[in-house]
Amino acid sequence: MFNADSELLLINGLINGDADSYRELVDCYWKSLNFLSRRMLGNTHDAADCVQEAFIQVLKNIQGFERKSSLQTWLRKIVVNQSLMKLRSRTGSREESLDAIMHQFDETGHYIESYEGRPADVERLQESSEIREIVRKKMDTLPDIYRATLILRDVEGYSTEEVARMTNATEENVKVRLHRARLAMRNLLEPVLRV
Amino acid sequence: MNTKTLKTDISGALTCRQVEQFLMDYLDWQVTLWTWCKFRYHLHICDDCRQYLQDYRNAMALGIRIFANPEDEAFGKVPDEILAAILKSTKHS
């Protein structure tokens, strides 16, 4: 990561066409951007394409970069947009259902099955590489638009309004998707959340 | 703020289905005070929903921590062909 001074130096290097600055930029952000795109797309190959395209866009447009945000924020936004474009080309307008993952209720609106076990300690769960892998795999099973909404709102911290704009949806739609995605993640992770 | 009031049956109590359906609104204070009180009451008397809420919060906390941290992923080194493609693109611009 760069502080304000080192980022300015890097930007100047990029503007001047310095190959070492290009490499430094790519080396520094490659991993985190790939991680972001990989999480949104659930696919390593597509993620690499999106990140590559984001770097190319940044390098082509670096002269016009106004520094209203950090270089990293700008890059992440481009990666998000690239990833969303990839998702749109993949799924079109079809929105998959989450019904199979949702809880079942009886005719009076109450749970059919009661819970067993006690809640696990999140700190401990997070420390286990096996659990981290399970969580990632479960996340990849969510339908694309739900996974992307969850990442953008809960991990990347974009507002509902921003996510709505990015995903061409209404704010109400984003809220519904986020809620259902969270419920689905909770339900998918139930086996690891209880001991 | 656009808060919601949930319709209930004659007893005035929420069902577990309603609690699940409007959980995010409840946590984000997007329900009226009256509905919020009904949520509190339901959570007080319903073990299943209390546990569900706890797991919901834990799932979010776990997911956010794991997805905000790229440490486990094998993305360490930039593949040579990708770096070459990026560098090549700058020569044509």
Side-chain angles (χ1 to χ4, degrees):
Chain A
M1 300 302 148
F2 301 92
N3 61 30
D5 291 339
S6 59
E7 185 177 288
L8 187 58
L9 277 175
L10 178 75
I11 291 168
N12 286 335
L14 297 174
I15 289 172
N16 293 327
D18 173 33
D20 286 343
S21 298
Y22 294 151
R23 279 195 194 92
E24 196 179 357
L25 176 79
V26 177
D27 277 340
C28 181
Y29 293 121
W30 171 257
K31 185 173 176 175
S32 63
L33 295 176
N34 248 298
F35 184 71
L36 166 61
S37 188
R38 165 74 180 79
R39 293 275 76 81
M40 286 182 68
L41 297 170
N43 173 322
T44 309
H45 184 261
D46 285 349
D49 282 352
C50 288
V51 175
Q52 178 181 330
E53 186 53 38
F55 278 120
I56 290 171
Q57 279 195 29
V58 161
L59 295 176
K60 279 185 177 165
N61 297 300
I62 192 68
Q63 304 238 14
F65 181 47
E66 294 174 351
R67 303 195 71 207
K68 286 179 182 165
S69 64
S70 70
L71 202 49
Q72 184 186 19
T73 304
W74 188 33
L75 263 165
R76 288 184 87 81
K77 204 156 195 169
I78 295 174
V79 168
V80 165
N81 287 332
Q82 287 291 331
S83 304
L84 287 171
M85 276 170 57
K86 186 75 84 176
L87 285 182
R88 277 185 214 113
S89 69
R90 192 193 285 175
T91 59
S93 58
R94 187 169 54 93
E95 186 156 326
E96 292 170 73
S97 168
L98 280 174
D99 289 348
I101 313 172
M102 292 300 161
H103 263 278
Q104 300 298 310
F105 298 92
D106 64 20
E107 65 281 0
T108 65
H110 293 92
Y111 287 110
I112 291 173
E113 290 175 35
S114 283
Y115 287 98
E116 290 181 3
R118 56 188 170 77
D121 179 352
V122 174
E123 296 277 345
R124 280 198 170 175
L125 290 176
Q126 189 205 347
E127 285 168 10
S128 158
S129 58
E130 189 187 340
I131 297 290
R132 291 200 296 271
E133 188 56 28
I134 291 172
V135 174
R136 292 192 182 108
K137 283 191 172 152
K138 294 287 185 191
M139 176 71 125
D140 286 346
T141 67
L142 285 183
D144 289 342
I145 192 63
Y146 290 95
R147 190 176 57 248
T149 303
L150 194 66
I151 295 283
L152 294 174
R153 277 291 278 113
D154 284 350
V155 182
E156 289 299 299
Y158 288 107
S159 67
T160 302
E161 188 187 350
E162 287 172 309
V163 177
R165 217 174 22 243
M166 288 169 173
T167 56
N168 296 327
T170 63
E171 288 185 41
E172 196 50 40
N173 224 329
V174 170
K175 284 182 191 168
V176 170
R177 283 175 184 161
L178 178 66
H179 179 52
R180 289 179 68 77
R182 286 176 178 174
L183 291 179
M185 275 309 281
R186 181 241 159 266
N187 297 344
L188 287 168
L189 294 179
E190 192 175 314
V192 299
L193 292 170
R194 293 267 142 196
V195 289
Chain B
M1 197 190 311
N2 196 9
T3 54
K4 294 172 187 164
T5 302
L6 302 193
K7 288 181 183 166
T8 53
D9 63 16
I10 199 159
S11 71
L14 296 178
T15 63
C16 301
R17 189 203 301 267
Q18 284 176 309
V19 168
E20 189 201 74
Q21 198 175 352
F22 295 94
L23 195 56
M24 196 167 86
D25 291 324
Y26 162 73
L27 294 172
D28 290 346
W29 288 87
Q30 297 286 309
V31 291
T32 58
L33 182 60
W34 179 231
T35 299
W36 188 86
C37 291
K38 288 181 186 174
F39 261 93
R40 296 297 299 169
Y41 177 70
H42 184 100
L43 291 170
H44 181 69
I45 60 168
C46 180
D47 280 348
D48 287 338
C49 283
R50 258 201 322 279
Q51 294 189 45
Y52 189 91
L53 175 60
Q54 171 125 34
D55 287 352
Y56 179 90
R57 286 184 161 133
N58 284 346
M60 277 176 61
L62 186 63
I64 289 169
R65 286 180 200 190
I66 290 173
F67 292 113
N69 181 1
E71 286 314 308
D72 289 345
E73 301 278 335
F75 293 133
K77 194 175 177 303
V78 188
D80 291 339
E81 66 275 16
I82 288 189
L83 185 59
I86 293 168
L87 293 176
K88 190 177 168 193
S89 77
T90 63
K91 290 181 181 133
H92 296 297
S93 59

